């Protein structure tokens, strides 16, 4: 077995071949490594001679990784501001970058020994188009891994996960006469109405005159007399006055001296007064509570409820491929896909406040924008994020198709994404070992001697 031979230039290779005699003709298999730890070089991986045949160089790797090290190369990347992943700020004539994806790119650049240049991009279409035509090595900002996008570019290792939710305007309370109805439930109102009608009917029936017939001895003719049971010092109450008196008692009004002359009605009137006090007190307390802490109208939380109350749904322009919802088996998702239009996150959230619209996207980005641009001094916001997850997406960086450096980028991203878990496991292991050692080394405490009795 031979050892690998390194040639710095093509001239060295030709001189090596010319110096050999025809009887010792040697054919070499060479591979060019543009980015290796030692710089660009040509490496021999095998040789062939007429007498000995093919001989492999240890190790027999015909296609070694060409991008184990970028050797101080400067590569082009593309990105746009997406807080908190990628942020740009201008200080004088210098553009400063920050954010989680930027810090991740710095870590990858240090590991592979390269620097990067951020190409100017005016829109998200330019960010990915420059990757597609290979002017950019990769787009170093989060993208959801969606099958339709794989036709235009590849993705690196999926280093994060996110849900897709919707944001829309929080329902507000509008003035309505129903505010007087809301303190009590419908069943309670029906019960109060039934009791009121029953009491009014009973008192009116009692108020009907009792006719008695007597005969005059002198004239031998019938005499008709009437006895009213509800009367005041000013006269007898009419049936309408009795009803008004009963309803007024329910509303907290007094009897104004209008009393019944029938003792049999006192129990009924007393029971009605007690009922009126209980119901009136409960209603007033509930009314004050509902006006002080109003109950907000129900708000949509699921996709089925969402499509019933909005006219359109905005989505970031480069996420417009979410329209694969049109092929969903769910009618609600198909309707959601038909409502989708492209737009910026801020434009989508502003539209959600002003019109019957909603915006879908990553909840972390939407919460950050809502808290910075829409939150009020008291902590409330005119926007909210629904509870249901419309999708669960993996996040990765777009790279050109069949890029030879993708495995090395994936290796770095895999270490970054799994590093916190490894640190957690190491911490748990060390803590467990320390606990066991402590239990083994610490002896059991001896009981204290009992003092001798005198």
């Amino acid at each position: 077995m031979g050892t690998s031979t390194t040639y710095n230039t093509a001239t060295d290779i030709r001189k090596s071949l010319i110096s050999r005699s025809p009887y010792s003709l040697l054919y070499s298999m060479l591979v060019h490594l543009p980015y290796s730890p030692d710089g660009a070089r040509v490496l021999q991986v095998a040789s062939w001679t007429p007498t000995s045949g093919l001989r492999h160089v240890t190790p027999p790797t015909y296609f070694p990784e060409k991008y184990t090290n970028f050797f101080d190369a400067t590569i082009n990347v593309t990105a746009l501001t997406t807080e908190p992943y990628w942020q740009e700020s201008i200080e004088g004539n210098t553009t400063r970058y920050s954010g989680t994806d930027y810090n991740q790119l710095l870590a990858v650049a240090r590991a592979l020994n390269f620097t990067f240049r951020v190409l100017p991009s005016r829109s998200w279409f330019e960010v990915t188009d420059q990757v597609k035509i290979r002017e950019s090595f990769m787009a170093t900002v989060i993208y959801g891994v969606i099958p339709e996008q794989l036709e235009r570019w590849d993705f690196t290792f999926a280093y994060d996960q996110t849900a897709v939710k919707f944001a829309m305007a929080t329902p507000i309370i509008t003035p309505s006469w129903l505010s007087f109805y809301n303190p009590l439930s419908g069943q309670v109102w029906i019960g109060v109405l039934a009791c009121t009608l029953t009491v009014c009917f009973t008192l009116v029936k009692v108020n009907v005159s009792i006719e008695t017939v007597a005969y005059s001895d002198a004239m031998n003719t019938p005499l008709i007399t009437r006895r009213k049971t509800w009367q005041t010092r000013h006269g007898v109450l009419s049936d309408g006055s009795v009803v008004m008196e009963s309803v007024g008692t329910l509303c907290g009004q007094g009897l104004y001296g209008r009393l019944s002359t029938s003792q049999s009605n006192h129990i009924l009137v007393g029971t009605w007064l007690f009922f009126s006090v209980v119901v009136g007190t409960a209603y007033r307390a509930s009314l004050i509570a509902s006006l002080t802490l109003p109950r907000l109208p129900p708000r949509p939380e699921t996709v089925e409820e969402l499509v019933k109350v909005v006219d359109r749904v905005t989505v970031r322009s480069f996420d417009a491929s979410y329209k694969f919802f049109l092929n969903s088996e769910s009618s609600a998702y198909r309707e959601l896909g038909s409502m989708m239009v492209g737009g910026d996150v801020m434009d989508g959230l502003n539209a959600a406040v002003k019109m019957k619209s909603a915006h879908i996207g990553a909840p972390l980005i939407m919460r950050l924008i809502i808290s910075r641009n829409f939150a009020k001094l008291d902590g409330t916001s005119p926007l909210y994020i629904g509870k249901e997850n419309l999708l669960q997406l993996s996040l990765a960086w777009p790279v050109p198709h069949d890029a030879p450096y993708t495995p090395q980028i994936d290796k770095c991203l895999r270490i970054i994404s799994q590093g916190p878990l490894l640190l957690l496991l190491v911490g748990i292991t060390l803590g467990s070992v320390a606990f066991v050692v402590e239990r083994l080394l610490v002896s059991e405490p001896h009981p204290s001697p009992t003092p001798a009795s005198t």
Side-chain angles (χ1 to χ4, degrees):
M1 300 297 289
T3 58
S4 61
T5 303
T6 303
Y7 301 95
N8 293 326
T9 63
T11 303
D12 295 339
I13 300 174
R14 288 195 298 269
K15 289 180 179 180
S16 176
L17 294 176
I18 294 173
S19 64
R20 301 178 186 275
S21 64
Y23 300 100
S24 61
L25 187 62
L26 174 66
Y27 294 93
S28 299
M29 179 179 291
L30 308 175
V31 62
H32 178 243
L33 302 179
Y35 301 106
S36 68
D38 298 327
R41 61 176 181 158
V42 178
L43 182 67
Q44 179 182 349
V45 294
S47 62
W48 182 89
T49 62
T51 57
S52 60
L54 183 65
R55 300 180 64 183
H56 303 288
V57 176
T58 305
T61 303
Y62 296 122
F63 303 100
E65 179 55 56
K66 296 183 178 182
Y67 293 87
T68 55
N69 191 295
F70 283 77
F71 193 61
D72 293 330
T74 300
I75 67 173
N76 296 329
V77 299
T78 49
L80 279 181
T81 298
T82 304
E83 295 182 304
Y85 301 99
W86 187 280
Q87 303 174 61
E88 300 180 6
S89 60
I90 299 178
E91 299 179 3
N93 296 327
T94 305
T95 302
R96 303 288 184 183
Y97 300 101
S98 60
T100 56
D101 274 13
Y102 173 75
N103 294 332
Q104 185 169 259
L105 177 60
L106 281 181
V108 174
R110 293 191 186 102
L112 299 180
N113 193 25
F114 69 85
T115 58
F116 55 88
R117 180 193 306 111
V118 182
L119 297 180
S121 301
R122 293 173 295 180
S123 66
W124 288 105
F125 291 107
E126 289 191 9
V127 170
T128 52
D129 285 344
Q130 293 185 80
V131 173
K132 183 178 179 181
I133 63 178
R134 299 179 182 268
E135 289 184 3
S136 171
F137 272 50
M138 54 189 167
T140 54
V141 69
I142 62 165
Y143 269 77
V145 180
I146 300 176
E148 285 76 1
Q149 294 179 344
L150 294 174
E151 300 177 359
R152 293 176 285 176
W153 54 74
D154 287 338
F155 284 98
T156 61
F157 172 76
Y159 58 87
D160 199 0
Q161 300 282 331
T162 187
V164 177
K165 295 177 177 284
F166 66 86
M168 64 180 302
T170 304
I172 60 176
I173 300 176
T174 56
S176 174
W177 65 271
L178 292 176
S179 300
F180 295 97
Y181 169 83
N182 292 330
L184 300 179
S185 64
Q187 294 85 346
V188 175
W189 282 114
I190 293 176
V192 171
L193 178 62
C195 292
T196 303
L197 294 177
T198 301
V199 171
C200 291
F201 176 78
T202 303
L203 294 179
V204 168
K205 189 172 182 61
V206 171
N207 192 49
V208 174
S209 61
I210 300 176
E211 298 182 355
T212 60
V213 179
Y215 292 91
S216 172
D217 295 335
M219 304 295 298
N220 198 24
T221 58
L223 297 176
I224 300 176
T225 63
R226 298 176 181 270
R227 180 170 59 87
K228 301 290 185 177
T229 60
W230 283 85
Q231 62 183 5
T232 67
R233 61 181 179 271
H234 302 292
V236 178
L237 292 179
S238 64
D239 295 343
S241 299
V242 172
V243 173
M244 293 295 296
E245 195 75 16
S246 302
V247 176
T249 304
L250 180 64
C251 295
Q253 303 299 320
L255 292 175
Y256 298 104
R258 301 176 180 181
L259 301 175
S260 173
T261 59
S262 174
Q263 298 296 328
S264 62
N265 295 329
H266 289 173
I267 297 178
L268 177 61
V269 174
T271 303
W272 178 242
L273 289 174
F274 178 78
F275 175 83
S276 302
V277 170
V278 173
V279 173
T281 303
Y283 174 78
R284 285 190 293 272
S286 299
L287 179 61
I288 294 173
S290 64
L291 295 177
T292 306
L293 299 173
R295 182 176 55 186
L296 295 176
R299 63 187 192 183
E301 297 287 357
T302 64
V303 63
E304 289 81 6
E305 297 170 347
L306 173 67
V307 296
K308 294 179 180 178
V309 297
V310 298
D311 297 329
R312 72 169 189 169
V313 176
T314 58
V315 63
R316 290 189 303 179
S317 300
F318 64 91
D319 287 337
S321 54
Y322 285 160
K323 288 200 172 183
F324 63 79
F325 286 153
L326 293 172
N327 300 324
S328 173
E329 296 180 357
S330 171
S331 60
Y333 276 92
R334 290 196 300 270
E335 188 173 356
L336 178 66
S338 64
M339 296 179 180
M340 286 186 178
V341 295
D344 185 69
V345 181
M346 276 296 299
D347 295 338
L349 294 178
N350 282 321
V353 174
K354 299 175 182 178
M355 60 184 68
K356 297 174 63 176
S357 175
H359 180 81
I360 65 173
L364 178 60
I365 298 177
M366 293 193 296
R367 287 193 182 99
L368 181 61
I369 295 178
I370 291 174
S371 63
R372 288 188 176 180
N373 300 278
F374 296 93
K376 301 178 182 178
L377 295 178
D378 58 357
T380 60
S381 171
L383 294 168
Y384 78 98
I385 298 178
K387 295 181 179 179
E388 185 179 27
N389 293 341
L390 304 181
L391 280 178
Q392 190 71 30
L393 289 180
S394 299
L395 301 179
W397 288 346
V399 293
H401 280 302
D402 303 320
Y405 49 84
T406 302
Q408 297 302 319
I409 303 293
D410 291 347
K411 181 179 178 181
C412 296
L413 295 179
R414 189 176 292 108
I415 294 174
I416 293 174
S417 62
Q418 295 177 359
L421 177 60
L422 295 178
L423 291 177
L424 175 62
L425 295 178
V426 170
I428 293 175
T429 303
L430 293 178
S432 301
V433 171
F435 176 77
V436 173
V437 171
E438 182 182 2
R439 295 295 298 174
L440 293 176
L441 295 180
V442 177
S443 59
E444 294 292 335
H446 297 286
S448 58
T450 304
S453 59
T454 58

